[in-house]
Amino acid sequence: MAGPELPAALACVFAAARAGRPVLVTDPDGTGPGPADLPPELPAGTFLVVITSGTSGHPRPVLRTAASWTSSFAPFSALTGIGPRDRVLLTGPLHATMHLFAAVHALAVGAHLIDDPATATATHLVPSRIGALLDELAPDAPLRTLVVAGSALPDRLAERAVARGLTVTEYYGAAELSFVAARRVPGPLGPFPGAQVQVREGVVWVRSPFLSLGYPPGVAGPFRRDEQGFATVGDLAAPDGDGLRIRGRGDAAVTTGGATVLVEDVEDALLQLPGVAAVAVVGTPHPRLGQLVTAVLEPAPGADLSSIRTAAQAVLRAQSRPRRWLLADRLPRTGGGKVARHRVAAALAALDQGDPPPARAPILRPLPSSR
């Protein structure tokens, strides 16, 4: 990220913190809540008002104290190894929480913020950016540290980064919860230092000094806090050896033929397959089954996905396998770089109704037949 808007935005954030006044960090294109959507008075201690990623199409304002971020700086530095000698590459806009944190943390520990991948020693990025970054770097580039978040890290990308000699840290969190779990690849995902994590009936709960204050008065959302101080946004998890596997939000499910399929599980499996750069899985209406598990793939450059259906049989159970397959040259992303699943769903609905795709939705085409 380059240009005069970067220092101006960071100066605004730090000035607000010094003055004790809340600052709203929002998408400059006007999507999502704005100042008019906030009440005139916010809870005492509010430092930042950040906006959730909007992957589902419903971004919400989240209130944070300064301490909820600064208290995580030391454990984050210890976990990732990022320190004052680093040159940290920004790969996304500051209105996305993970990138804003990356910038603020880098400056707080004395590192340099840069926009040149060729000279970076560390970077924060979503998994879909890893392949392109590694492709463009020279063999002797100084990059040594990847910090990955936003969605599950596919094994094939993790293995490629580690084979290059990079240290890879993956973390899971949410705008409302901040850091919940983390790992140094290839180790298992476990509680982030300073966080207590519980899985109750398959739902992740966390208690830590990093939690947000929640939403402004009058804003509804999935964030809940119990009497012991544990909080959740409804994300699901399952044991995975000595660690956890985050399975995504339970409301992002497809009901097909009476079976409930979590779309994140299907997406994670398909991302492991060669040639798949990104994927969105949604449910589309079906008169007999209720919904069809539908996969929209973004192919890697030069990929031949004509055998993807056959390959999917090896990694997915029958009810989880997509029955409908489409391609898009590029899937839409949120400001933070996650696939905007709701825009894909809107494009599918328009396609099925014979309408042109909505603004910012992808152009869809059929997947070639299996060989």
Side-chain angles (χ1 to χ4, degrees):
M1 182 177 185
E5 69 278 2
L6 174 58
L10 289 172
C12 178
V13 170
F14 289 125
R18 185 175 182 86
R21 300 186 61 181
V23 59
L24 171 65
V25 182
T26 189
D27 190 335
D29 73 2
T31 60
D37 301 305
L38 300 177
E41 295 293 330
L42 296 174
T46 300
F47 155 56
L48 279 178
V49 183
V50 297
I51 308 300
T52 59
S53 65
T55 305
S56 65
H58 300 287
R60 299 176 179 88
V62 177
L63 312 180
R64 303 205 65 90
T65 66
S68 71
W69 265 18
T70 58
S71 59
S72 69
F73 288 171
F76 186 83
S77 297
L79 181 68
T80 62
I82 295 177
R85 296 185 178 182
D86 277 301
R87 297 182 297 276
V88 179
L89 172 70
L90 290 183
T91 63
L94 291 185
H95 65 264
T97 307
M98 68 172 286
H99 300 301
L100 180 60
F101 178 88
V104 173
H105 170 264
L107 295 177
V109 300
H112 294 277
L113 289 177
I114 64 170
D115 59 4
D116 181 9
T119 61
T121 62
T123 186
H124 300 237
L125 72 178
V126 294
S128 62
R129 297 289 299 271
I130 295 175
L133 176 65
L134 296 182
D135 286 341
E136 72 176 273
L137 289 179
D140 60 349
L143 185 69
R144 61 175 180 81
T145 301
L146 295 185
V147 180
V148 184
S151 60
L153 174 61
D155 291 341
R156 59 183 174 82
L157 290 177
E159 291 165 0
R160 183 180 173 193
V162 170
R164 189 186 170 102
L166 302 181
T167 296
V168 182
T169 301
E170 179 183 18
Y171 71 83
Y172 152 71
E176 298 93 333
L177 305 176
S178 192
F179 297 106
V180 177
R183 68 174 181 137
R184 177 71 63 85
V185 174
L189 193 69
F192 184 85
Q196 297 173 268
V197 177
Q198 297 179 352
V199 179
R200 307 176 187 171
E201 299 181 346
V203 177
V204 179
W205 290 77
V206 61
R207 181 170 62 189
S208 79
F210 321 129
L211 297 177
S212 74
L213 296 172
Y215 310 118
V219 175
F223 179 77
R224 292 180 289 147
R225 195 192 299 255
D226 69 12
E227 61 274 9
Q228 284 85 39
F230 282 85
T232 187
V233 290
D235 281 349
L236 307 180
D240 185 16
D242 295 331
L244 291 174
R245 181 168 64 93
I246 304 299
R247 304 183 64 201
R249 196 67 50 88
D251 58 5
V254 175
T255 302
T256 180
T260 299
V261 176
L262 296 181
V263 299
E264 287 93 344
D265 285 353
V266 181
E267 290 171 348
D268 290 349
L270 295 178
L271 282 171
Q272 307 295 336
L273 301 179
V276 180
V279 60
V281 174
V282 301
T284 53
H286 188 272
R288 180 171 56 86
L289 298 174
Q291 290 180 299
L292 284 183
V293 179
T294 300
V296 181
L297 306 177
E298 177 186 314
D304 177 5
L305 296 179
S306 59
S307 300
I308 195 72
R309 294 178 178 86
T310 301
Q313 293 178 12
V315 296
L316 289 168
R317 295 178 299 171
Q319 69 266 28
S320 297
R321 292 177 200 147
R323 298 198 181 194
R324 186 181 182 192
W325 299 82
L326 298 104
L327 291 178
D329 289 337
R330 178 169 171 78
L331 292 174
R333 264 62 168 191
T334 66
K338 300 178 186 179
V339 171
R341 197 182 294 118
H342 66 288
R343 290 186 187 146
V344 177
L348 281 163
L351 178 68
D352 291 342
Q353 294 167 11
D355 297 330
R360 305 178 70 183
I363 304 297
L364 306 178
R365 62 185 189 276
L367 180 73
S369 300
S370 299
R371 289 196 300 250

